[in-house]
Amino acid sequence: MIFISTNVMAQTNFSHISFSEALVAASLEGKQVFVDFYTDWCGPCKRMSRETFPKESVGKYMNSHFINLKINAEKGEGVELAKKYNVTAYPTFVVLDTKGNECGRCLGFRDADAFIGELDKMRDPELRSDRLIARYKSGERNAKLIKAYADYLKESRVDSDNTVEAWFKTRDMVNKVVQNYFDSLTDVQKLDKENLFVYSTYTASIEESPAKYIVTNRNNFNPELKSQVDSIICELYTTQLYMYLSGDTSCDAQKLKAIKNDIKKLNIDGDGKMKIALLFLEPKNMQPNNLANAIPKWFNQLDGRHATALMKGMTRRFSSDSQATKDKLALILRKQLPTMSLESLFTAIMVIPELEGKQGH
């Protein structure tokens, strides 16, 4: 007998049945199967259960369209199912048809609105995984398809074996798909609202051609898009400063001068936080002694992401310096702990022991 849990509250109802029973139940009720692949140790999994699944909007949506299952990927039938559906990260949410064919998936924590948006895509027959692949291979190209296909590649981690190398391989594959699409667009199409996703979601550096295009053509977009375009440009420069501070991308004198001029010309540093990030990028302030003096003055004025990036960058820049130098920098950071944001604190508790040579002890 199939038993499906019920709950009088408007929250997501997860059925306490086997996977095969869920497929039968979905067929009988004209629904799809939603599977939450989780583990006992997964923080984002617990956050989804605590914050998103109980929301009324999420519960109504999911209970109307799916037979919902929670499957522990490390126990019982979950082990084989996770292997069958190539689940390597948690939480992974997979939507299936009544025959067990994958319609789509997404990874990680989502708030209610974002989660429902992802589920909407998975329920669209034209955006299910097999159709996306077929449509893309047939040569079809449009904004909705490319966005959905790129999201699918990113979320499915089709080339991932859970290593850093595989992550970069998947990232490069996704970026190639979007870049090829962007290169095929006319100038008019590049200004279209439906293609803003290229700049906002799939452009990582101000040195990439989409970034250069949106900056150069900032005033050519429809006036109704001005706020959105300006926000994208600001985010691109904020991200670039993050990469420079963290050492993910090198920043020489020429690059520093160029980004300073750009930020001033574009007038995108409304709160002055980019100016503070630029101060830390000055060559003199990248010297240990000068940095030790600069941190007490300016650290707590940094944007949260930039503070995180600066600390991460310290472990790279000073890895070959003397232990005395690294201990001095670690002590300076320790003195900032009482006034750090939660975001910065999380990074600091990893960076400080590494600077002190205590990581793993």
Side-chain angles (χ1 to χ4, degrees):
M1 177 179 179
I2 296 175
F3 172 74
I4 301 177
S5 64
T6 57
N7 194 318
V8 294
M9 296 180 66
Q11 62 180 10
T12 306
N13 295 330
F14 286 96
S15 303
H16 302 290
I17 56 179
S18 69
F19 179 72
S20 60
E21 289 173 331
L23 295 178
V24 173
S27 180
L28 291 172
E29 297 185 28
K31 296 180 178 181
Q32 294 171 296
V33 175
F34 169 88
V35 182
D36 169 14
F37 283 101
Y38 73 98
T39 64
D40 291 334
W41 48 263
C42 167
C45 301
K46 295 174 183 177
R47 189 180 175 194
M48 283 294 296
S49 294
R50 184 174 65 249
E51 299 180 21
T52 302
F53 291 136
K55 290 289 179 66
E56 181 177 357
S57 59
V58 175
K60 285 183 176 179
Y61 186 96
M62 294 186 67
N63 299 339
S64 296
H65 300 296
F66 306 108
I67 298 298
N68 303 301
L69 291 182
K70 273 185 172 293
I71 293 182
N72 190 321
E74 297 180 338
K75 296 180 180 179
E77 68 172 348
V79 176
E80 286 302 315
L81 287 170
K83 183 177 180 181
K84 176 181 179 179
Y85 290 105
N86 192 30
V87 174
T88 58
Y90 308 100
T92 291
F93 309 110
V94 182
V95 170
L96 307 166
D97 64 20
T98 56
K99 294 182 179 179
N101 299 313
E102 182 175 331
C103 300
R105 69 171 64 194
C106 65
L107 303 169
F109 175 82
R110 298 285 199 286
D111 64 23
D113 290 341
F115 191 56
I116 291 173
E118 291 291 343
L119 294 173
D120 265 336
K121 288 192 298 184
M122 296 183 214
R123 291 185 58 243
D124 186 336
E126 287 302 302
L127 297 181
R128 58 180 288 167
S129 305
D130 54 350
R131 281 292 293 146
L132 280 176
I133 296 169
R135 291 171 66 193
Y136 186 81
K137 287 185 176 179
S138 73
E140 183 181 346
R141 299 292 184 270
N142 59 67
K144 186 176 182 181
L145 170 65
I146 294 301
K147 185 177 185 303
Y149 184 60
D151 287 347
Y152 157 73
L153 292 177
K154 181 173 65 176
E155 297 288 358
S156 65
R157 305 281 292 275
V158 292
D159 280 337
S160 175
D161 56 8
N162 226 22
T163 64
V164 173
E165 293 77 12
W167 185 89
F168 279 113
K169 184 177 180 181
T170 300
R171 184 202 64 177
D172 292 344
M173 179 172 57
V174 171
N175 288 346
K176 184 178 180 180
V177 166
V178 178
Q179 184 66 53
N180 287 344
Y181 169 70
F182 181 78
D183 291 341
S184 74
L185 299 175
T186 65
D187 284 342
V188 173
Q189 291 171 326
K190 289 176 181 177
L191 299 173
D192 198 298
K193 181 180 180 179
E194 69 176 5
N195 288 315
L196 288 181
F197 79 93
V198 174
Y199 312 107
S200 63
T201 307
Y202 292 102
T203 303
S205 167
I206 59 174
E207 297 173 1
E208 296 177 11
S209 59
K212 292 178 180 178
Y213 189 88
I214 193 174
V215 169
T216 301
N217 293 276
R218 180 188 192 187
N219 296 321
N220 294 331
F221 285 85
N222 188 310
E224 294 180 356
L225 300 176
K226 182 180 182 343
S227 176
Q228 196 171 351
V229 168
D230 286 352
S231 178
I232 291 171
I233 291 173
C234 184
E235 179 62 25
L236 285 169
Y237 278 86
T238 297
T239 299
Q240 193 70 37
L241 288 171
Y242 177 98
M243 292 192 291
Y244 286 159
L245 287 165
S246 67
D248 288 336
T249 301
S250 62
C251 181
D252 55 26
Q254 185 177 357
K255 287 182 178 179
L256 182 59
K257 181 179 179 180
I259 197 169
K260 278 183 179 179
N261 290 338
D262 284 352
I263 290 171
K264 182 177 180 179
K265 180 180 177 181
L266 294 167
N267 191 28
I268 54 175
D269 189 20
D271 58 10
K273 290 187 181 296
M274 290 186 182
K275 180 181 178 181
I276 303 299
L278 290 167
L279 284 173
F280 277 104
L281 286 169
E282 291 288 348
K284 65 178 181 179
N285 288 327
M286 284 297 175
Q287 300 301 314
N289 288 333
N290 290 337
L291 181 58
N293 292 327
I295 287 175
K297 295 179 183 178
W298 304 317
F299 183 85
N300 287 317
Q301 297 179 53
L302 282 169
D303 172 87
R305 284 178 293 171
H306 292 161
T308 293
L310 178 67
M311 289 188 285
K312 288 181 177 178
M314 289 168 67
T315 62
R316 295 176 174 178
R317 292 187 178 92
F318 309 119
S319 61
S320 59
D321 282 60
S322 68
Q323 190 56 54
T325 294
K326 290 186 280 189
D327 285 343
K328 180 179 180 180
L329 291 170
L331 180 60
I332 294 295
L333 287 180
R334 283 190 179 278
K335 290 180 179 180
Q336 307 308 309
L337 290 174
T339 55
M340 280 188 190
S341 66
L342 287 176
E343 181 181 13
S344 296
L345 276 171
F346 182 77
T347 302
I349 61 176
M350 294 187 292
V351 167
I352 291 173
E354 187 171 348
L355 286 171
E356 294 173 338
K358 297 177 181 178
Q359 194 175 54
H361 294 279

